[in-house]
Amino acid sequence: MSAAVDTLRLTAEDALGLVERREVSPAELHGAYLEAIGERDGELHCYLRTVAEAEGTSIPIALKDVISTRGVETTAGSRILSGYVPVFDSTVAARCKAAGLTLLGKTNTDEFAMGSSTENSAFGPSRNPWDPSRVPGGSGGGTAAAVSAGLAPWGLGSDTGGSIKQPSALCGNVGLRPTYGTVSRYGIVAFASSLDQVGPVAKTVRDVALLYRIIAGRDAADSTTVELPSAVELPSAERLEGLRVGVPRQAMALEAIEPGVRAAFEAALELVEELGAEVGECDLPLSFDYGLPCYYLIAPAEASSNLARYDGVRYGRRSEGESYREMVEGSRDEGFGDEPKRRIMLGTYALSAGYYDAYYGQAQKVRTLIVREHASAFEKFDVLATPTSPTVAFPLGDRTADPLAMYACDLLTIPSCVAGLPGLNVPCGFSEGLPVGLQLIGPQFGENALFRAGHALERALGLDLVPARLRA
Ligand code: GLN
């Protein structure tokens, strides 16, 4: 039975093999993860809730709590949605079910996916399995920490400006933010609709590719989705001849990048060259100067519109009041935490008459320039590479008092998100005993190139990604 299952090391691909060969049943596997959760999640708080029964024919999966699951409470880390039990499945949850995956539970997130540390969750932060005094990143820190701590073989997150890539970097696993429009957003609690994308988190690049294959493709319920122009390829090549890798000069010029992160990134790049790839520099000046401000206008603007629906009437929690107005005001005041309130105010301001052209309109024009700048870089390069996060995991509480310091976590992940492009985090080394991630950016629909490069790098590095303190 499941005595043979070491959830800390088991990849999803190997778990699928165990189930296919009937060496382990789906229920036993589900039970093994629940047992690990029982042992370690008290400390790490990756899960907001777990599901006891394995209803499926395959391996388990963890879903970020912005992903609607029929009959299982979905809160997006917000008090305003507590008690909300969806009556339908999001398309990604339905696709996971159709593939036989069993829902292990819903993972912690910053409230409405707004944040970079999970400290904005209304239900308390998650912790980093490498060092529980540090954050796992965010907003999808729950999923990333769960995968690294052996509390799920894989999971789904959502990424608006880095919420899959950055927590994967800080926890030491692989995360893909897919090309905008390749994965359905139907049933995802909306943050910023022109940026939100769902994507996989797992221990290996191949696992991420396997899960991407399950969730990607056109969905009639989300008009922004398209059919993939080419099938998802499981990477196997160990060499990188013919691959042209561009390193944006302006990204590497950022002083925010810690020396240890820079060193691990540069050593990995040398390895990429040894594997046969051609590495060169490229220029994305606008993207790294204006990407962050552009995002922090567009994302709050869209959030202010999306969050207007939480009125205490239609979903979740309601406050009492003498009048309709008092009830709505009370529900929003008590239901939302500080970060969503901040974004609603910023976004409402940016969209208001008289300021619209100067802020929102201007940000949209800058966005177009960022799209073009990336497109011209991909005329010369197949993929771009930067560190994923400027720093390793930081201590809890370090940035909560300073919203701008928290927003600076996204300096490297945001530009390509604004451009709608896919990005893959691959662990590339350690600094201060904590994982460092390398971000590979591809052109639109360039996921296969990311998988190929990421897989070869992962194999060549051969890192032990089980958190040192959890190794037997
Ligand atoms: N940290 C960014 C933000 O707070 C990105 C979050 C995300 O991708 N959901 O908006």
Side-chain angles (χ1 to χ4, degrees):
M1 111 107 223
S2 60
V5 176
D6 173 6
T7 64
L8 274 168
R9 295 203 178 267
L10 190 67
T11 64
E13 193 174 2
D14 287 342
L16 287 166
L18 290 177
V19 170
E20 262 158 40
R21 295 190 302 274
R22 296 178 190 266
E23 288 167 34
V24 176
S25 73
E28 282 166 346
L29 203 54
H30 198 91
Y33 282 96
L34 285 180
E35 205 173 291
I37 292 168
E39 275 168 31
R40 291 193 282 279
D41 205 44
E43 178 181 49
L44 299 175
H45 193 229
C46 303
Y47 284 90
L48 294 177
R49 66 205 66 82
T50 53
V51 177
E53 293 302 314
E55 289 173 17
T57 55
S58 185
I59 72 170
I61 187 163
L63 301 180
K64 184 180 181 184
D65 207 30
V66 298
I67 299 174
S68 298
T69 41
R70 187 159 65 104
V72 179
E73 191 188 4
T74 300
T75 66
S78 182
R79 216 172 295 124
I80 209 163
L81 274 173
S82 56
Y84 170 60
V85 179
V87 293
F88 71 106
D89 269 324
S90 54
T91 297
V92 289
R95 288 191 181 182
C96 288
K97 264 185 200 168
L101 302 182
T102 70
L103 176 62
L104 202 45
K106 304 296 293 289
T107 43
N108 198 14
T109 167
D110 285 293
E111 187 172 0
F112 288 103
M114 297 170 180
S116 301
S117 69
T118 71
E119 290 165 295
N120 295 336
S121 168
F123 308 110
S126 302
R127 288 169 182 271
N128 192 306
W130 292 82
D131 175 354
S133 73
R134 292 174 188 259
V135 303
S139 62
T143 307
V147 168
S148 280
L151 308 186
W154 55 10
L156 290 180
S158 65
D159 188 302
T160 306
S163 281
I164 291 173
K165 298 182 286 183
Q166 184 256 16
S168 281
L170 269 44
C171 290
N173 51 46
V174 184
L176 171 73
R177 173 202 166 84
T179 303
Y180 185 81
T182 57
V183 179
S184 172
R185 288 177 297 107
Y186 177 70
I188 306 305
V189 177
F191 165 9
S193 306
S194 77
L195 292 152
D196 297 343
Q197 254 328 257
V198 173
V201 176
K203 287 190 194 306
T204 67
V205 175
R206 283 175 64 93
D207 284 359
V208 160
L210 280 169
L211 187 49
Y212 181 55
R213 197 183 258 175
I214 292 172
I215 59 171
R218 186 173 147 66
D219 173 19
D222 177 353
S223 62
T224 62
T225 54
V226 291
E227 214 48 81
L228 297 189
S230 50
V232 178
E233 288 162 22
L234 272 196
S236 58
E238 311 220 328
R239 299 282 309 168
L240 290 176
E241 266 82 18
L243 188 82
R244 299 163 305 168
V245 182
V247 181
R249 228 186 296 265
Q250 294 77 12
M252 297 318 292
L254 292 170
E255 276 169 25
I257 302 176
E258 287 176 349
V261 169
R262 197 178 284 274
F265 172 76
E266 281 167 0
L269 264 192
E270 274 174 32
L271 191 55
V272 166
E273 233 172 344
E274 279 167 32
L275 294 173
E278 251 173 70
V279 178
E281 286 189 318
C282 66
D283 284 299
L284 291 164
L286 271 174
S287 302
F288 287 95
D289 271 357
Y290 297 113
L292 200 76
C294 172
Y295 172 90
Y296 276 101
L297 284 168
I298 293 175
E302 294 183 8
S304 71
S305 160
N306 276 326
L307 269 51
R309 74 190 66 172
Y310 302 104
D311 51 11
V313 177
R314 288 170 291 179
Y315 312 90
R317 186 181 174 286
R318 164 184 306 190
S319 304
E320 295 309 319
E322 292 290 308
S323 63
Y324 171 74
R325 193 191 166 106
E326 264 181 37
M327 182 281 290
V328 172
E329 273 179 7
S331 297
R332 287 173 70 80
D333 185 32
E334 290 160 27
F336 287 131
D338 288 347
E339 190 59 31
K341 282 180 184 163
R342 183 176 296 125
R343 306 233 182 165
I344 289 168
M345 287 189 281
L346 282 171
T348 305
Y349 184 80
L351 290 174
S352 58
Y355 294 105
Y356 183 97
D357 288 339
Y359 293 110
Y360 187 72
Q362 200 66 9
Q364 291 293 17
K365 289 179 189 161
V366 171
R367 184 176 196 176
T368 301
L369 296 176
I370 292 174
V371 169
R372 288 192 196 146
E373 202 171 75
H374 278 82
S376 75
F378 285 113
E379 285 169 11
K380 294 199 202 91
F381 295 100
D382 302 304
V383 300
L384 307 180
T386 71
T388 305
S389 159
T391 72
V392 292
F394 46 92
L396 273 100
D398 236 25
R399 302 190 182 199
T400 39
D402 182 356
L404 289 181
M406 197 64 94
Y407 298 172
C409 296
D410 313 322
L411 273 168
L412 294 159
T413 49
I414 272 183
S416 56
C417 296
V418 168
L421 302 177
L424 183 74
N425 175 72
V426 187
C428 72
F430 298 94
S431 168
E432 303 167 46
L434 297 163
V436 175
L438 180 145
Q439 171 180 237
L440 290 166
I441 303 295
Q444 245 187 347
F445 309 117
E447 277 80 357
N448 284 333
L450 300 183
F451 295 151
R452 177 188 170 213
H455 172 78
L457 177 63
E458 166 186 86
R459 283 297 168 95
L461 282 165
L463 304 173
D464 186 349
L465 293 166
V466 174
R469 52 187 284 280
L470 299 179
R471 284 175 208 160

